Amino acid sequence: MPHMTGVELVEQLRKRGIDSKIMALSAYLFSEVRAAYERMDVHVMFPKPFDVGALRSAVDRLAA
């Protein structure tokens, strides 16, 4: 995303009252980024590169 980070995107979603389940896929899941996502109730975080099977399983769990 050229104009904002994933954390900024989730912040904007939460500020707008969107309380949907969120999954973040990021090449930069440093401890402070993970902590920010956790504070905003991001349900699943995957570092890139990721395992497609694990991603599919996570999507299935979130959709249930």
Side-chain angles (χ1 to χ4, degrees):
M1 293 180 299
H3 301 292
M4 70 173 61
T5 67
V7 171
E8 292 168 337
L9 173 63
V10 174
E11 285 173 343
Q12 291 300 313
L13 292 171
R14 296 304 190 212
K15 282 181 185 177
R16 294 175 185 199
I18 297 171
D19 63 352
S20 300
K21 295 176 183 176
I22 294 177
M23 178 184 297
L25 286 78
S26 176
Y28 306 105
L29 280 178
F30 304 116
S31 59
E32 56 274 359
V33 172
R34 282 186 176 277
Y37 280 140
E38 288 171 0
R39 283 192 301 275
M40 294 183 287
D41 197 27
V42 170
H43 294 78
V44 179
M45 292 169 256
F46 273 98
K48 291 180 184 177
F50 53 87
D51 176 72
V52 173
L55 178 64
R56 287 182 181 151
S57 293
V59 169
D60 289 342
R61 283 192 311 274
L62 286 178

